[in-house]
Amino acid sequence: GVSNVSSTFFMLLPNGVKCFGDCALNVEPTAEQLAEIAVSQAKSAIQFGMHPRVAMLSYATGDSNSGELIDKVIRATEIARKTAETEAFMDKELIEGPLQFDAAVDPAVAAIKLKNSRIAGRANVLVYPDLTSGNTGYKSVQQTSKCIAVGPILLGLRKPVNDLSRGAKVKDIVNTAVITAIQSEL
């Protein structure tokens, strides 16, 4: 089990589905909690038929900068990789960090910022380092792209429980209800 409940949003973008988390619950997760968030998101992506490529997001890519937040993301990446290896649910090399958002999702940027990466430019599970960046990030993408954001989908509970934003529209309610029904059958 997990010691920390977290959340993910399924972002239904024109180029495919991406999972963004944690965008709803954990304000300032520790490295251990951030790793657990990454693992929970990857497992959720697998349950829904995705092949997770996990980007641990930060304000720097690779070793381009340093600082406390980057150190936390590096530590979280190490822990998440160890968990992936121990539990054998995915290839540990498909978890990478720190990555900036552009390097995580744009192959052209990734080719410049982090060559020889299996994740950079191809990430589909994006783990934000804190709630401010996560919540702002998902809403920025949702509002500027007009994509459908399904969630928050709560992770780490025994039974499916999901939430809705106060600004949820009817289609958001329907999508979340469908996801919850699917989760109950998994």
Side-chain angles (χ1 to χ4, degrees):
V2 298
S3 61
N4 182 53
V5 175
S6 61
S7 72
T8 193
F9 278 84
F10 288 144
M11 304 296 287
L12 311 183
L13 295 157
N15 62 346
V17 176
K18 296 194 185 310
C19 298
F20 285 19
D22 178 4
C23 304
L25 296 176
N26 293 283
V27 176
E28 189 67 42
T30 64
E32 293 75 18
Q33 291 169 325
L34 200 56
E36 194 170 71
I37 290 166
V39 167
S40 291
Q41 280 204 116
K43 288 179 177 179
S44 178
I46 291 167
Q47 284 183 319
F48 283 90
M50 295 173 66
H51 299 285
R53 294 179 302 276
V54 181
M56 305 294 284
L57 298 177
S58 180
Y59 61 86
T61 295
D63 60 2
S64 69
N65 207 328
S66 62
E68 247 179 75
L69 180 60
I70 293 170
D71 291 342
K72 178 174 84 170
V73 171
I74 290 169
R75 178 76 183 123
T77 302
E78 291 167 354
I79 296 166
R81 282 179 164 181
K82 183 175 181 178
T83 302
E85 184 175 45
T86 302
E87 295 183 12
F89 66 90
M90 69 178 285
D91 179 351
K92 71 176 186 171
E93 298 303 317
L94 294 178
I95 302 172
E96 188 161 0
L99 287 166
Q100 291 168 291
F101 188 89
D102 60 346
V105 300
D106 186 330
V109 173
I112 296 166
K113 290 187 175 184
L114 198 63
K115 298 173 183 155
N116 304 319
S117 168
R118 293 174 61 191
I119 303 302
R122 302 180 48 225
N124 60 3
V125 175
L126 297 114
V127 181
Y128 288 88
D130 58 43
L131 185 58
T132 297
S133 57
N135 191 270
T136 303
Y138 106 80
K139 286 184 178 186
S140 296
V141 171
Q142 179 189 34
Q143 292 301 312
T144 57
S145 72
K146 300 302 180 198
C147 76
I148 296 171
V150 181
I153 298 162
L154 303 185
L155 308 174
L157 299 170
R158 291 179 199 263
K159 301 281 185 179
V161 177
N162 296 313
D163 192 14
L164 291 163
S165 168
R166 290 184 309 260
K169 296 176 175 35
V170 171
K171 68 180 178 185
D172 300 323
I173 296 167
V174 170
N175 288 333
T176 301
V178 168
I179 290 291
T180 307
I182 292 169
Q183 286 177 301
S184 72
E185 296 297 320
L186 297 175

